[in-house]
């Protein structure tokens, strides 16, 4: 009985995965929304798109240097992850950059998530911070 249940769970898992894969579609850089292409050219001018995938209503982009960017279907960025390098500071409101410099002077902002006008950021020292739409620590 236990083996049958385990086997059924495995089969259901494979079926869910195949449905999820069907909804994902590899896209070429020239097929990205115009705002996404402009964003990449402006903020990552020396990087080429290594891989782009449309997942439901989002686009997930991997650049040659390992940077990952997620865009909404309209082409607005939701997440930028530069791994161990600093994200472009122009992506964040100035008061968030000022708060980070004041609290963690030597740390770099390596990842940022934007939800509406609120931001979650990850610093190079492993600290994660959340800011409200006014740029105040939440």
């Amino acid at each position: 009985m236990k083996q049958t249940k385990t086997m059924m769970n495995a089969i259901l898992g494979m079926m869910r995965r195949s449905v999820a894969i069907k909804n994902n579609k590899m896209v070429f850089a020239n097929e990205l929304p115009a705002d996404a292409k402009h964003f990449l050219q402006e903020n990552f001018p020396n990087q080429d798109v290594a891989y782009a995938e449309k997942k439901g209503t989002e686009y997930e982009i991997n650049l040659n240097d390992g940077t990952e960017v997620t865009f909404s279907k309209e082409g607005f960025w939701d997440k930028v992850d530069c791994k161990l390098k600093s994200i472009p500071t122009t992506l964040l409101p100035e008061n968030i950059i000022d708060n980070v410099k004041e609290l963690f002077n030597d740390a770099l902002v390596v990842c940022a998530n934007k939800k509406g006008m609120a931001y979650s950021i990850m610093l190079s020292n492993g600290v994660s911070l959340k800011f409200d739409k006014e740029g105040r620590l939440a």
Side-chain angles (χ1 to χ4, degrees), residues 45-127:
N46 300 321
Q47 296 301 319
D48 292 323
V49 173
Y51 181 77
E53 184 175 12
K54 184 174 182 185
K55 290 185 171 187
T57 61
E58 292 185 335
Y59 292 87
E60 290 187 8
I61 314 301
N62 291 308
L63 302 179
N64 284 343
D65 69 348
T67 296
E68 297 175 2
V69 185
T70 304
F71 294 99
S72 66
K73 67 180 176 183
E74 295 84 16
F76 302 114
W77 74 271
D78 292 327
K79 180 179 179 181
V80 175
D81 187 351
C82 290
K83 308 298 178 206
L84 300 175
K85 299 181 308 262
S86 178
I87 68 168
T89 55
T90 56
L91 299 182
L92 299 173
E94 192 174 326
N95 53 348
I96 291 177
I97 298 297
D98 292 342
N99 275 331
V100 170
K101 285 181 183 176
E102 182 181 323
L103 297 171
F104 302 97
N105 188 32
D106 295 332
L108 304 172
V109 178
V110 295
C111 184
N113 288 301
K114 184 170 63 167
K115 301 260 195 251
M117 293 303 295
Y119 294 84
S120 297
I121 63 171
M122 178 66 76
L123 304 179
S124 57
N125 61 5
V127 172

Side-chain angles (χ1 to χ4, degrees), residues 25-39:
K25 176 186 170 196
M26 188 180 126
V27 295
F28 293 101
N30 63 351
E31 297 174 317
L32 295 171
D35 287 338
K37 289 189 275 190
H38 177 73
F39 175 90

